[in-house]
Structure formats: structure tokens, C-alpha cells
Amino acid sequence: MTSGLEGEFEDVFAGRPSELETRARRLQSTAEAIERAADALRDLVDAQRSEATDALEESATEAAAGLRRARKRYGGTATALTTYAVELGPIQSTARAAVDDADFHQARSYRLQGDLDDLRNDITLAEAEGAPTDALYEELWSTSDGAAYSAGRVEDARRTLNQARQDIWDAANRAIDAIETAVEHGADSFGDNWNQFWDPIGDFFEMVGEWASQVLAAVVEMLQELLSALISALVVIAILLAAALVIGLVFVIFGVVGLLVLGAFLAAALLTLAIAEMVGSPQRIGSQTDDTAPTGDAEKDAALDDLEARDYQGLMVDLAQQDANGLDAETEIRVVAIRDAAGNVVSWRIQLPSTQNWSVTNTDGALNDVRADVMLSMFPGVPTQYEEAVWDAMTDAGVFESDAPIMFTGWSLGGMMAGELATNPRVADRVESVFTAGSAIDKHYSDMPPDVRVTQINNGIDPVHTLELLGLDPVDYVRFDEDWQTYRPLTTPMHDATMYGAEAERYLPEPRPGDEIFFASEGGSSYEEVHTYTYTRGS
């Protein structure tokens, strides 16, 4: 099984130094054979003097010179490739050791984190019973130090792998420079046996080119991700500066009294929204159940297969359809049971729509409105009518009558709700996956149940996923968990379901290992049973 770091630095292990060195040595043998052929041709001309050889001397001399130029090209290329292969081996060995060390300490860190939770519970229980806690605190501090040490070793391994990537790149550059020098040496025209030279060693450069393209793609991808993360940070700073500017203008125009009035107004507005969420109940206005179970009719079954989501892009298509169906009037929630050929529930996929109603005073429209946005951003943990509707839909569909694993998925507000629900104790022991796009869910990192695969795609110029506001702790920024994967494209439009679907396909054309159970298989070995519920706000 490939570890998280090994997957992240797969380009470091892409080369095959032993094979490259063996084939480079064959190329060197070819160069030596060419040298012998040139010598033999020269001896033939020098040792034989007759009218025939005199007539051929000029041509033979030119041919021998061409062979010597070819020999230098072959020999120079072979030497460069051999040197590169010799350098690549130790670099990969060091990188492999770093990955093994990181895997060990990552596992140790997870285990110690669990021990820390147990120790904190023991201390709480001991304090409640009036029992001594000194030994427990000493063990807590020791375990905490161990966890911090392992986390540090994981970061050391990451630095080692980054250096290995740079060392391979430098070695490749040296090899390319040497090859260019060898190829250019003695060339007397563009067509100087060009095809004859390249054809025998094309496979070498195909292998090197394949490796170089992998490295270059990884470097470009890494730079784009870094740029996207930087732009996201700048977006946050711009939002904070805008807020500070508004506060500053209020202070300049109205003074301290104006700030107090503004603060009181905002506090009252937020409190009113929170109270309205807690006292109201969602109204279910419709429900239906459809499935894609095989019918035995090939044409119908093919059409049913087309309705099933196969991957994350398929999820984004479904979510966009839910948005379009509900708009600002109602909220469409889908609870999808994945059933095997015998009809047994294999997994549950909960699909949540994005913000569609932008009225702050909305009282009878869709639940997925700006009020729900404010609640999830400003008062995480406070139940909303949107959340109550999801629990209602899950209950009615039979989620709690089954022990099958659960995936929560949504984009924008739907993703924020997915992160909120995944950390709820009601389902924490059954949640295995969360997929979001353009959603502010980083605040849930420290609360997410262990081993949950979180996959988020956040466009760098999209401000929505930066609106964490309250609930984001420093620990949520420092993530060593390979199960939590964030992809950061930099593209336009900045906040759009179709765009996020395309980026999901680019980054993850297949579901992540373990997520396959949340998608039905084509051909009828499993199928979707889709429970669709619609809700409006209630007072």
C-alpha cells in the first residue's frame, strides 16, 4: 500500500537507475564499436594504395570522420546517462528511508494522540473522584512530548524528500547539459546523420523524457498549489482589511459611540438569526425514492447506469442538479443508498445543496440560505433548520437502521454542512468519507473522527472556502493527516459547480482508495437507491 508521503513524492521514485545504467552501458559499447569501425576504415585506406582506393579515399575519410563524430555523441550521451543513473540510486535510497521513517512516526503520532485523549479522560475521572493525578499528568506530558517528536520527524522526512526532488532535478540538468554538449560537438549541418544518430538511442530519451515530464508536472503542480494557497491567504487578508476599513470609517465618522452602536446592531442581528434557527422547524413538502436496479432490459439498464455517479465529478453534477431543482424556494436533499446485487446496503451517500436563497428575512423559502451560511460560519455547533432537515431525511431513508458507512458531500454551503455533520457524535463512528468543493471546513480538522478520508478542492481565487470565521484553531492549520487531502487549483470562474467538477476530474479521475464503496458499479453488481426530500423553512 502506498503511503501518503510516497504518493505525494512519487516523482522522486519514478526513475529506474539500475535499468538506465545497464542500457547506458550498452550505448557505451555501441560507441566503442563505432570507434573500432572508424579505425578499421582508416586502416583500410592507409594500408591499401591502388587506383581504386585512391578514388575512394576522399569518401572513406569523410565517412570515418562522420563515424568519429557519431562515436563522440554516443559516448558522451552514455557517460551522461550512466553518471545520472549512479547519482539517482543513492538519492532514491535516502528518500525511501525518509518515507519509511515518516510512516513509522505518523502511525506513532496517531497512536499517541489516542493515548492523550485517554489520559485526559483518566485525569478528568480521577479529579472527579478526588484521586491523585500527579502520575497521570507526568504520563500526559511525556506522551505529548512523544507525539510532538514524531510530528517533527514527519516534517523532517518531508524536508528530506523535497531535497531529494531538488537533487534529482539538479542531476538531470547536469546530464542534459552533458548530452547537449555531446550532440552538438562536431555537427557540420542540421541533417548530419540526424535520424541515424537518434533512432538507436530514442528509447533512452523516451525514458528520460518520461521521467522529466513527471518531475516537471509535479513541480508545476506544486508551484500552482503554493500560488493558489498564497492567493487564498491574500483573499483572507483583503477581507480582514475591508472589515477593518469599515470599522475605521465608522470610528472616524461617528467615534466610539458609532462603533458601540455598530457592534450592538451586529450582535443583535446575529442573536436574532440564532434564535430564529433554534425555535423554527423545517417543513418537509415532498419525498420520492428512485433506484437504478437492473431491469433485464439492456437499453433501460444502460440509461439507468448513466444516472449513477461514478466519481467526484459525477457528485458535482448531482449537486448542481439539486441546486437547480430547489433554487430559492425549497431545499432538495438526497440520501443515496448504494446496494449490492442482492439488495443489501453497502454504504450511504448524503448529498447537500449549496446556498440558493440570499434573503436574510427568508421565512418560508429554501433552508440552504444566507442565514444558514452565517450560522455555520459564526455559530458552529448551533443547530440550523438545514441541519435538522438532513437528520430527518437520513432517518426517514433508513440510515440509522443500518450500520453501513457514510459519506457526506456538498459544495459551498453544502460542504460546510457536510463538515459539520461528519463531526457529530450521532454518526462519528460510521463516517468514512467527506468530499467538498469551495467550502470552509478546515475548522473541523481537529474534531474530525480518525481515519475519515476528507477530500476538498478549493480554487485559490474563491473567497468562500476562506470564510471559516469562528471555530478555526491554530491546530487546524497544521495537518499531518494523509487522509485529509486538499487540492488547490487556480482557475476561473472562481465559484462554480461545473468548474469544481472539472477540477475534481483533473485531480481525481478515480475515487480515492476506500471511497469506491460510495459509488455504484457499472453493470449491475451494485446500484443506487436515491431518496429525495424537499423542505422549506418553518416558523
Side-chain angles (χ1 to χ4, degrees), residues 290-297 300-305 307-308 337 339-343 520-521 523-530:
D290 304 287
D291 66 62
T292 58
T295 65
D297 183 306
K300 289 182 179 179
D301 289 346
L304 290 172
D305 274 348
L307 297 176
E308 297 173 342
R339 294 184 179 271
D340 62 20
S521 301
S525 60
S526 61
Y527 63 91
E528 292 184 354
E529 181 181 80
V530 184

Side-chain angles (χ1 to χ4, degrees), residues 8 25 43-44 65 67 69 91 115 156 165 180 225 241 355 372 390 399 412 421 469 491-492:
E8 182 180 345
R25 294 193 188 284
D43 293 341
L44 177 65
L67 285 172
R69 287 194 295 272
I91 295 173
D115 293 345
D156 289 343
R165 176 180 280 161
E180 287 178 346
E225 294 256 338
L241 288 176
T355 309
V390 179
V399 173
S412 193
L421 295 173
L469 301 181
T491 186
T492 57

Side-chain angles (χ1 to χ4, degrees), residues 153-173:
R153 290 296 296 269
V154 173
E155 281 305 291
D156 289 343
R158 186 179 297 278
R159 283 190 287 271
T160 298
L161 288 164
N162 276 316
Q163 184 60 52
R165 176 180 280 161
Q166 183 61 50
D167 290 345
I168 290 175
W169 187 254
D170 292 342
N173 280 335

Side-chain angles (χ1 to χ4, degrees), residues 72-83:
K72 290 181 179 179
R73 294 174 182 176
Y74 275 74
T77 300
T79 300
L81 292 177
T82 301
T83 302

Side-chain angles (χ1 to χ4, degrees), residues 17-18 20-21 25 79-92 171:
S18 58
L20 183 61
E21 184 176 1
R25 294 193 188 284
T79 300
L81 292 177
T82 301
T83 302
Y84 169 69
V86 170
E87 291 186 59
L88 180 60
I91 295 173
Q92 289 187 336

